[in-house]
Amino acid sequence: MPSSVMPTPRQRNGRQRPVAVSTADLRKSYGDKTVLDGIDLRIPAGTVFALLGPNGAGKTTTVQILSTLISADGGQAQVAGHDVATSPDGVRAAIGVTGQFAALDDLLTAEENLLLMADLLRLGKREGRKRAKELLERFDIADVAHKRAAFFSGGMRRRLDIAMTLVGDPKVIFLDEPTTGLDPRSRRTMWETVRSLVAGGVTVFLTTQYLEEADQLADRIAVLDGGRIVAEGTADELKAQIPGSHVRLRFTDPDEYERAAAVFPGAVRGDEELALRVAGDGGLDALRALLDRLDAAGIRAADFSVHTPDLDDVFLALTGDGSTNTALHVKETLR
C-alpha cells in the first residue's frame, strides 16, 4: 500500500491501535464511468476518519461498498476484521450506517422506531426495551419518546436516526453527510454526539461537505476527487502544505508603512489601509523573526494578524479546477 495514504495511528497505552477499516485498490465503475479508481485506506479503531470530496467524487459509493450495500468491481476491503466480499454478514453485524437522510418511520413514535430496530436485530423484547430506554436518555429525547417522528425537528430526527444506528452496539459507524440541512446549533450537538461515540471506542467513518465539520472532528482526512485519493493527512498537515500563509501588518503612520515596505520588499501592499501582507509559514519561529526585523528597524506596527490556509483552501486546491501541481505537491510532502 502506498505510504502516502498510510496514517500514523494514535498510540494508546503504548500500543498501536488495531485497524478498523482498510481497503486496497478498491474500484467501482458504472458503465464507462469510473467512480472509484483504486482507493487505499487504513483507519485505526477508535478514531474519526473524514472523507471529503465534491459531488460525484465517490464518497457515498465508498460507504455503500464498505457497508455491503453494493459490491466493488475490484480490490479488497475489510471492516472490523471481516472481509466485505466474503463475510458480508460479519460486516453487517459490526457496523451501523446513517445515510444522508434520516431513515425513520414517521408513523411511529421515537420509542417505537427504536423497538422496531431492536426487533429487526432480534434482541428480544426485554433487551430491546432496555436498549431503547438507554438510547432515548443518551440522546436527550426521552421526553418525546411517545411522540411521532413526523413531528420532530431536523436535529431531533438526526439524533433519533443515530440512536437507531446504535441499537446493535456497532464497532464501526458510517455517517454519510450526517448534518446536511441542520442548523448550526443542531450541527454542533451532532458533533458532540460523534465525540462521545469515539470516546467510547467506536470508529466513525464520516463523509461530509462541511469542511469545518471535518476540521472539528476528524483525526485524519482524505480528499477524494475523480475517483482517487488526492491527499491524506491530519487537518493541520493538509493546511500546512497549501500556499497562502502570511502575516498582515497594519500601520497608522504612512512613514512607518513605507519604511516597513522597504524592510519587506516582497510583501503585498495595501496602500489604502496601510497594510502589508508578508508571506510566511504561519509558525511561531517565522513570526518571531518577522517581529525582530521590525524591532531592529525601529518600526512599530499598529497591529498584526496571522492568516493560514483552512480546509476550504485545501479543498479548492485539490479538487475540481484546483491546481494539479498543488495536489501533487501536497501528496509528495505527506509521503
Side-chain angles (χ1 to χ4, degrees):
M1 187 176 297
S3 59
S4 62
V5 294
M6 291 284 288
T8 303
R10 292 186 177 182
Q11 302 293 315
R12 179 184 288 176
N13 299 326
R15 294 179 298 177
Q16 182 172 293
R17 294 188 179 193
V19 176
V21 179
S22 65
T23 71
D25 197 31
L26 198 64
R27 298 177 179 275
K28 183 67 178 179
S29 298
Y30 292 100
D32 59 356
K33 178 177 175 55
T34 299
V35 180
L36 298 179
D37 190 17
I39 302 299
D40 298 319
L41 298 172
R42 191 174 178 86
I43 304 170
T47 64
V48 179
F49 176 85
L51 188 62
L52 305 183
N55 289 331
K59 302 186 302 295
T60 297
T61 298
T62 302
V63 170
Q64 289 175 333
I65 291 173
L66 293 175
S67 58
T68 76
L69 293 176
I70 62 175
S71 60
D73 295 334
Q76 296 179 324
Q78 288 193 336
V79 177
H82 303 280
D83 188 279
V84 170
T86 61
S87 182
D89 288 342
V91 173
R92 292 167 193 151
I95 68 171
V97 181
T98 297
Q100 296 180 26
F101 305 100
L104 308 178
D105 188 327
D106 286 342
L107 298 178
L108 301 180
T109 66
E111 183 181 47
E112 288 169 344
N113 269 284
L114 290 169
L115 292 175
L116 174 61
M117 183 60 67
D119 287 343
L120 293 173
L121 294 172
R122 301 178 181 179
L123 294 187
K125 287 189 176 181
R126 179 176 296 180
E127 180 62 23
R129 290 191 176 279
K130 178 183 176 183
R131 189 72 177 143
K133 184 175 184 296
E134 291 173 350
L135 290 169
L136 287 166
E137 293 174 353
R138 179 175 180 178
F139 286 88
D140 196 26
I141 48 178
D143 57 335
V144 291
H146 303 296
K147 186 176 181 179
R148 283 175 49 190
F151 300 104
F152 281 14
S153 66
M156 290 173 63
R157 291 176 67 83
R158 265 306 183 195
R159 278 149 55 196
L160 177 57
D161 196 27
I162 291 186
M164 292 176 65
T165 300
L166 295 177
V167 170
D169 198 21
K171 297 178 182 177
V172 178
I173 296 179
F174 294 96
L175 300 179
D176 191 11
E177 301 189 20
T179 60
T180 297
L182 296 187
D183 61 72
R185 185 183 300 276
S186 296
R187 186 172 298 128
R188 290 184 179 276
T189 298
M190 185 62 63
W191 293 352
E192 290 304 317
T193 299
V194 171
R195 293 188 183 105
S196 68
L197 292 174
V198 175
V202 174
T203 304
V204 174
F205 187 111
L206 171 73
T207 74
T208 181
Q209 293 191 57
Y210 294 110
L211 303 184
E212 182 190 6
E213 187 163 85
D215 206 352
Q216 288 281 335
L217 295 176
D219 296 286
R220 289 189 72 82
I221 298 168
V223 182
L224 183 65
D225 189 42
R228 301 187 66 85
I229 300 293
V230 295
E232 182 177 348
T234 66
D236 288 341
E237 287 172 343
L238 293 176
K239 288 184 284 189
Q241 304 310 319
I242 300 298
S245 294
H246 65 273
V247 176
R248 183 178 184 273
L249 301 170
R250 190 181 65 82
F251 301 85
T252 54
D253 186 327
D255 290 337
E256 295 269 21
Y257 169 65
E258 291 297 338
R259 290 173 58 204
V263 172
F264 302 103
V268 177
R269 298 174 60 109
D271 293 341
E272 290 187 6
E273 62 270 30
L274 298 181
L276 294 176
R277 194 173 71 183
V278 183
D281 64 9
L284 289 176
D285 290 342
L287 178 59
R288 188 179 293 112
L290 182 149
L291 296 177
D292 286 344
R293 289 177 66 181
L294 287 176
D295 286 340
I299 301 171
R300 294 180 62 85
D303 59 58
F304 72 90
S305 56
V306 179
H307 298 261
T308 57
D310 55 22
L311 282 184
D312 284 23
D313 299 308
V314 173
F315 187 90
L316 292 173
L318 297 178
T319 63
D321 295 329
S323 168
T324 301
N325 290 334
T326 300
L328 291 174
H329 169 71
V330 173
K331 291 175 71 176
E332 290 299 321
T333 304
L334 293 175
R335 282 187 185 277

